[in-house]
Amino acid sequence: MLFQRDVIELLRHDLNAEATAIMTEALELDPNQSEVFWPIWREYNLEYSKTGDAQLALLKDYAEHQMSRSDEKAKELVERAFKIDEQRLKLQKKYWKKVNKELGSMIAARFVQVDSQLSNLVQLQISSQVPLVQAPN
């Protein structure tokens, strides 16, 4: 199977470590700001990982059904992918509000910008391993 769980989990783990380092550098927080931000970040990452679990389940389902190629299954998979994207955006908005309230708009904007870039990187790495849906012969 193309979407091996251990490969994706390794990617997620490596990115979490790198994301913290990147976020640290990008936000340039003073000690007081750091004390406020990092608990919010940990809470966000915990919730965000649930969307990663949903995406992993979607990829597994896609891999298991890629040979069946029915219109119904294709529709279901796309709708689930949209739902995951919507959940991620909703989560990002929720935590933007928290960071904005606690640390102001500039830090909140940098948080969203860096987080979006990191998320896009992960999505690109994962999607590059997913073959296009093929029509039945």
Side-chain angles (χ1 to χ4, degrees):
M1 176 167 66
L2 290 172
F3 322 110
Q4 294 182 1
R5 183 178 183 91
D6 55 343
V7 172
I8 293 174
E9 287 298 326
L10 183 61
L11 174 63
R12 285 169 64 181
H13 180 270
D14 287 350
L15 189 61
N16 279 339
E18 285 187 47
T20 300
I22 292 168
M23 196 64 74
T24 299
E25 186 174 328
L27 294 184
E28 300 175 339
L29 302 173
D30 66 34
N32 292 332
Q33 293 168 324
S34 291
E35 193 173 311
V36 172
F37 176 76
W38 292 111
I40 296 171
W41 169 256
R42 285 188 290 276
E43 185 181 317
Y44 171 73
N45 276 332
L46 183 62
E47 286 192 56
Y48 189 86
S49 70
K50 293 174 188 173
T51 65
D53 294 342
Q55 184 175 21
L56 184 59
L58 176 66
L59 292 172
K60 182 179 177 188
D61 194 9
Y62 175 78
E64 289 173 1
H65 293 94
Q66 73 182 31
M67 298 310 284
S68 66
R69 302 181 193 152
S70 72
D71 278 350
E72 297 82 23
K73 191 63 176 179
K75 179 181 177 186
E76 175 202 330
L77 293 171
V78 170
E79 288 174 350
R80 284 172 56 196
F82 284 150
K83 185 176 179 181
I84 293 167
D85 288 344
E86 290 167 2
Q87 290 169 339
R88 286 185 172 138
L89 181 58
K90 183 177 178 181
L91 188 63
Q92 193 177 53
K93 286 178 179 181
K94 173 184 172 181
Y95 280 89
W96 174 83
K97 287 178 183 178
K98 285 186 177 193
V99 175
N100 186 54
K101 179 181 176 188
E102 297 295 329
L103 296 167
S105 295
M106 292 300 289
I107 292 173
R110 278 186 281 173
F111 157 69
V112 169
Q113 185 178 22
V114 173
D115 182 65
S116 294
Q117 291 170 348
L118 292 169
S119 180
N120 289 341
L121 177 62
V122 170
Q123 294 309 310
L124 178 62
Q125 289 176 332
I126 291 171
S127 66
S128 71
Q129 301 301 310
V130 179
L132 291 175
V133 174
Q134 301 294 315
N137 295 332

